[in-house]
């Protein structure tokens, strides 16, 4: 379907497990209690403070929010749906509408109900079927309050961290299983798309894809260029080719660039003497422009569903946002159909296996008192929105 052209969207993104707190029926919670990963505990208490948080987002001048819905809350036991939780998310989405936001809702953002994880997650066909049913239920119950539905957040990152690096549940280190899992995620996306369209054909559906910009170490070196093309095809394009017929838009997440060198010793990442975030990621705003140009071939509207920096001192973030937005605007001028920019994240939050150390928020959160404080960079973002508005 064609998504009607709207005003440019300025937003921020969050996810349920990282902000809500007390996500007790999820696989993450289970392994957190076992001491395998840091405890998320109360997180930002966003579950009960959502309205206050969205008011702050409004103060920044945002007109779009990306949130996720927690499957583990809606279906805490296999086949048992908790209607009170559907009502909760309905309140969240209505609050956003009343405050003037366009709403992106993600169905799967890394976490699973514990029962589904115990059955092998999406490697198990019955879990895939349950997820498709859950997605259908969400659309039946909440579809009128969703503007954009995102099926799966960052399939490759999810597969990599859970099945190759083994730092996310279920902590496996098996590249072949990772590949199988990734192919299942493609299937899940395509099935959910079909199911959603059956119920509500006018609801835009897309996937959220993390792309890395690969730059050759030496611009004129054949081997460096070759390895970048391969990485770009496998890491950035391939999955999109597999879902493009069942996507109304592309949600693009961009965080960093890697400079690659191919030598007899193998592929080396050369990120020397360049600005890095608190995560050690190489920030490179022009990378977003180059990636957007490369995505033009898919002929689908693009929303930047995440772009952010861990910067506890807040001395890089303002410039980071400004320069990335410049890249977006440059690509837009050159004919890329990019329709929105959502910063990650609205709030400091639980950064998965890295716990509460990294600070990505436009709004600083004191995890002891739950006090929120607008960072200077949020004010810079506000100015930027005004001057582009
Ligand atoms: C994920 C977020 C995460 C962010 C920063 C993205 O990969 O979607 O959940 O917090 O990156 O690491």
């Amino acid at each position: 379907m064609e998504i009607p052209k709207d005003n440019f969207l300025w937003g921020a993104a969050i996810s349920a497990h990282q902000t809500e707190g007390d996500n007790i029926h999820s696989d993450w919670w289970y392994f957190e209690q076992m001491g395998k990963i840091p405890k998320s505990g109360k997180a930002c208490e966003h579950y009960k403070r959502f309205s206050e948080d969205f008011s702050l987002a409004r103060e920044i001048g945002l007109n779009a929010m990306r949130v996720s819905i927690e499957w583990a809350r809606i279906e805490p036991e296999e086949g048992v749906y908790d209607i009170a939780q559907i009502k909760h998310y309905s309140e969240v989405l209505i609050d956003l509408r009343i405050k003037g936001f366009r709403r992106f809702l993600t169905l799967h953002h890394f976490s699973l109900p514990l029962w589904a994880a115990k059955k092998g997650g999406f490697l198990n066909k019955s879990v895939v079927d349950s997820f498709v049913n859950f997605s259908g239920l969400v659309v039946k119950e909440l579809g009128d309050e969703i503007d954009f539905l995102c099926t799966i957040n960052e399939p490759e990152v999810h597969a990599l961290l859970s099945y190759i690096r083994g730092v996310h549940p279920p902590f496996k280190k098996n590249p072949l299983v990772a590949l199988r899992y990734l192919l299942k995620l493609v299937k899940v996306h395509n099935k959910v798309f079909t199911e959603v369209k059956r119920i509500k054909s006018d609801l835009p559906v897309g996937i959220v894809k993390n792309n890395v910009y690969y730059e050759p170490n030496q611009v004129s070196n054949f081997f460096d260029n070759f390895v970048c093309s391969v990485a770009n095809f496998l890491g950035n394009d391939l999955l999109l080719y597999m879902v493009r017929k069942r996507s109304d838009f592309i949600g693009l997440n961009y965080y960093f660039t890697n400079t690659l060198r191919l030598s007899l010793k193998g592929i080396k990442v050369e990120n020397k003497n360049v600005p890095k975030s608190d995560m050690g990621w190489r920030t490179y705003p022009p990378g977003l422009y180059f990636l957007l140009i490369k995505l033009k071939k898919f002929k689908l509207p693009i929303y930047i569903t995440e772009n952010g920096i861990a910067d506890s001192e807040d001395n890089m973030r303002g410039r980071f946002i400004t320069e990335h937005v410049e890249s977006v605007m440059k690509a837009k001028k050159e004919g890329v159909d990019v329709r929105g920019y959502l910063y990650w994240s609205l709030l400091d939050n639980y950064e998965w296996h890295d716990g509460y150390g990294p600070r990505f928020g436009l709004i600083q959160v004191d995890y002891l008192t739950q006090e929120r404080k607008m960072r200077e960079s949020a004010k810079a973002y506000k100015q930027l929105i005004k001057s582009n508005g």
Side-chain angles (χ1 to χ4, degrees), residues 18 109-110 153-154 157 253 255 281 306 344 351-352 360:
Q18 292 177 272
H109 197 124
F110 292 175
N153 182 66
E154 301 187 343
V157 175
N253 290 2
Y255 283 91
W281 296 348
E306 285 181 35
W344 180 274
E351 179 53 23
W352 305 110
F360 277 90

Side-chain angles (χ1 to χ4, degrees), residues 168-357:
H168 285 192
F171 310 103
K172 299 275 191 279
K173 292 185 179 173
N174 185 334
L176 283 180
V177 180
L179 185 62
R180 242 187 83 213
Y181 187 74
L182 189 57
L183 294 174
K184 292 280 178 202
L185 293 179
V186 169
K187 218 181 213 169
V188 172
H189 167 86
N190 286 337
K191 279 191 164 188
V192 170
F193 180 91
T194 309
E195 175 68 356
V196 173
K197 293 292 163 176
R198 195 180 61 77
I199 300 165
K200 199 171 186 323
S201 60
D202 62 342
L203 177 57
V205 181
I207 204 160
V208 171
K209 177 76 183 71
N210 177 72
N211 279 7
V212 175
Y213 178 60
Y214 298 102
E215 185 186 61
N217 186 47
Q218 275 181 27
V219 188
S220 55
N221 183 299
F222 170 81
F223 298 103
D224 294 353
N225 278 288
F226 174 73
V227 78
C228 286
S229 304
V230 173
N232 184 62
F233 177 71
L234 294 179
N236 294 338
D237 282 352
L238 187 57
L239 188 132
L240 289 173
Y241 278 117
M242 291 195 263
V243 298
R244 74 185 190 289
K245 289 205 177 115
R246 291 196 183 79
S247 296
D248 299 312
F249 66 91
I250 295 172
L252 174 66
N253 290 2
Y254 170 68
Y255 283 91
F256 56 84
T257 288
N258 277 333
T259 302
L260 302 185
R261 182 157 74 93
L262 183 65
S263 71
L264 290 173
K265 288 187 195 142
I267 302 167
K268 248 193 115 195
V269 178
E270 301 272 2
N271 288 339
K272 290 181 196 137
N273 306 322
V274 285
K276 295 201 183 101
S277 74
D278 293 349
M279 303 285 282
W281 296 348
R282 176 188 171 190
T283 62
Y284 183 59
L288 181 53
Y289 163 78
F290 294 125
L291 286 175
L292 283 168
I293 296 287
K294 283 177 194 289
L295 289 181
K296 212 171 163 182
K297 58 180 172 284
F298 290 105
K299 298 194 172 72
L300 287 169
I302 303 167
Y303 297 88
I304 312 298
T305 36
E306 285 181 35
N307 169 242
I309 181 168
D311 173 26
S312 60
E313 299 294 324
D314 200 36
N315 49 28
M316 293 171 79
R317 186 176 291 103
R319 194 157 154 214
F320 175 97
I321 296 175
T322 307
E323 292 181 355
H324 281 85
V325 166
E326 274 166 18
S327 278
V328 171
M329 294 308 166
K330 186 166 172 223
K332 192 167 182 278
K333 248 193 218 137
E334 291 176 25
V336 178
D337 189 6
V338 51
R339 301 189 185 184
Y341 172 87
L342 282 75
Y343 176 81
W344 180 274
S345 175
L346 178 67
L347 305 164
D348 286 340
N349 60 51
Y350 176 74
E351 179 53 23
W352 305 110
H353 59 290
D354 286 316
Y356 285 109

